């Protein structure tokens, strides 16, 4: 496995792949890899000839009061995991390599960033869209693989690729969970054992909501309220949002009539966790990964 | 010469070129071609194997009170001129092809759009950067050629390509002038003969400024005032701006100590003309086309 630190070296490698007629699959990450990332790599390997993973904790997508500094990092461990998973190259640029001078150009995604994490984390999706645009322009993959735990991020990236006509296919991949049901996240290491235990209420609540939906409940308010009472039964839980939104435009819905996203963000102690599930109304027309 | 109307067909052609190992040169235009555009084509042909010209009047870069509707269009004439100049393919998408649904994603360029035309035309450079990003992603050229008459546009595009790491080289090309000195522009056809005559004051003023600069004048205010009095001697002239700005960050300068851009925008009747010249301070370090 190649470890690449500069944009020039990355471009050179991409050029070689192209000359050899190889398709490139790309898995952008912020490192501290877990099984969720590994599932993206497996999918990329299944669909592409050459797999590039980037590991870059992007300062642009963190707010001033957020966890950029303490975000967990361990490059040795990540490199081993990537190598064992069959990644062909990891791209590990420094902040200075990605932002050699003050960034003046930003990719702004409107409307679909006006809800959910876009409200709780002002500027977050601008930072995400901008760095993903940069990475896609550097790696020039045929396909890029994103985890659906960050459902709004997937929508934002899909919209960016569509509206800017970027020559890449975005492949959303299903949420991967710990054996106890907690959605995999690099931030899970922040949790104390007590917080971790209480955080399991999130998936319990989502499963309950799916059950309600399957048995015919279509009132978003009713479902949201039941989720809230399950999660807020945990004394350490502080709900950021619990929302059912339209899957395409991410606006609030009151009655579930189209495919919808049920998304939650909850803090346990200082740790903000997100999770979601998709409520498909249109049989056989799933818009996201299955 | 191929005439291409859809993004899919354009991508297909680009793929063919790549397979044949051809480099692609790209000349984006809004059509109503003139000798300025032709000079870009000649440069593209000299430097690339295959030349694509786009002809697209981009609604996104026009303000609500601007001339989108009446902007001159003549595809038959343009296609002939392009063919005779040796363009290999023209890409002529409809507005619906470029914007099939409401555009939610925009490329925002900060700071260098806060002066000059960025002030007079709010939203203009957002529209320019966004459509050029789209076109570059569709055509995927090795080099793209832009006229320096739109000096701020060139800076904006260069900044976009740099900050978003787009895999293309931007080639700025010198201003081309009519035999009487008026900078070539598709909008020159709007001018009455009287307006056109008075518009020649712009280049007279720029030449006078260059002369002042060459003989040692370094006060931006002094130069700007003399330009203003030459242009405002014409009764139909309405100055939008006359400014000397830093060539890199496009902020106003009072004393010319670094390479600077002298830029003017003047209305004659309803027609807004822009023109500029670069005042090089650093011998042998020109940043723009020469």
């Amino acid at each position: 496995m190649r470890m690449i630190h500069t944009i020039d070296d990355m471009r050179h490698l991409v050029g070689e792949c192209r000359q050899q007629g190889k398709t490139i699959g790309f898995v952008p990450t912020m490192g501290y890899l877990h099984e969720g990332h590994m599932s993206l790599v497996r999918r990329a390997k299944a669909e592409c000839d050459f797999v590039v993973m980037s590991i870059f904790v992007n300062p642009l997508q963190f707010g001033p009061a957020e966890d950029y500094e303490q975000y967990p990092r361990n490059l040795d461990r990540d490199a081993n995991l990537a190598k064992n998973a069959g990644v062909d190259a990891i791209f590990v640029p420094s902040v200075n390599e990605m932002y050699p001078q003050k960034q003046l150009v930003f990719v702004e995604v409107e409307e679909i960033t006006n809800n959910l994490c876009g409200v709780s984390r002002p500027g977050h999706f601008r930072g995400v869209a901008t760095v993903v645009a940069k990475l896609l322009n550097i790696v020039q993959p045929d396909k890029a693989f994103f985890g659906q735990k960050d459902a709004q991020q997937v929508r934002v990236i899909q919209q960016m690729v569509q509206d800017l006509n970027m020559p890449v296919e975005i492949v959303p991949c299903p949420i991967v969970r710990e054996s106890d049901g907690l959605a995999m996240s690099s931030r899970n290491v922040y949790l104390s054992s007590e917080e971790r235990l209480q955080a399991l209420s999130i998936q319990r609540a989502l499963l309950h909501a799916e059950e309600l939906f399957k048995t015919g409940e279509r009132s978003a308010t009713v479902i949201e309220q039941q989720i809230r009472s399950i999660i807020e039964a945990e004394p350490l839980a502080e709900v950021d949002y619990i929302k059912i939104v339209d899957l395409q435009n991410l606006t609030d819905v009151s009655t579930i009539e189209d495919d919808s996203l049920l998304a939650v963000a909850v803090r346990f102690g200082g740790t903000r966790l997100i999770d979601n599930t998709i409520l498909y109304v249109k049989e056989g027309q799933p818009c996201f990964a299955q």
Side-chain angles (χ1 to χ4, degrees), chain A residues 144-179:
Chain A
F145 299 82
F146 290 83
Q148 203 168 290
K149 179 173 75 67
D150 303 299
Q152 191 174 16
Q153 171 174 280
V154 171
R155 267 300 285 124
V156 164
I157 300 301
Q158 285 175 324
Q159 193 73 37
M160 175 180 80
V161 164
Q162 175 187 299
D163 279 7
L164 296 185
N165 305 99
M166 301 180 84
V168 61
E169 181 188 337
I170 300 302
V171 182
C173 300
I175 296 174
V176 177
R177 297 181 181 280
E178 305 280 358
S179 56

Side-chain angles (χ1 to χ4, degrees), chain A residues 9 12 35 40 114 121 139 143 164 201 206 257 282:
Chain A
D9 286 352
H12 186 74
E35 191 49 35
L40 305 180
N114 291 345
R121 307 185 66 187
V139 176
K143 298 185 180 189
L164 296 185
S201 63
L206 293 181
E257 290 169 336
K282 294 174 181 163

Side-chain angles (χ1 to χ4, degrees), chain A residues 124-136:
Chain A
H124 171 65
F125 287 115
R126 186 172 100 137
V128 167
T130 302
V131 80
V132 172
K134 287 167 70 77
L135 290 168
L136 291 173

Side-chain angles (χ1 to χ4, degrees), chain A residues 43-59:
Chain A
R43 182 82 177 263
K45 283 187 70 67
E47 299 191 12
C48 303
D49 302 324
F50 192 91
V51 174
V52 177
M53 172 188 278
S54 65
I55 297 177
F56 180 63
V57 185
N58 172 39

Side-chain angles (χ1 to χ4, degrees), chain A residues 2-71:
Chain A
R2 298 271 301 270
M3 189 183 298
I4 292 168
H5 294 278
T6 69
I7 293 167
D8 280 352
D9 286 352
M10 194 65 236
R11 286 202 198 284
H12 186 74
L13 181 62
V14 168
E16 281 178 9
C17 285
R18 291 275 167 243
Q19 279 203 316
Q20 295 163 13
K22 288 181 182 168
T23 59
I24 297 174
F26 180 44
V27 179
T29 82
M30 298 208 300
Y32 216 73
L33 302 177
H34 52 63
E35 191 49 35
H37 300 111
M38 293 303 128
S39 75
L40 305 180
V41 170
R42 283 192 294 273
R43 182 82 177 263
K45 283 187 70 67
E47 299 191 12
C48 303
D49 302 324
F50 192 91
V51 174
V52 177
M53 172 188 278
S54 65
I55 297 177
F56 180 63
V57 185
N58 172 39
L60 213 60
Q61 72 191 66
F62 288 82
E66 292 184 353
D67 57 345
Y68 172 68
E69 291 298 339
Q70 64 263 43
Y71 195 87

Side-chain angles (χ1 to χ4, degrees), chain A residues 203 216 275 278:
Chain A
Q203 201 212 9
D275 203 341
I278 298 174

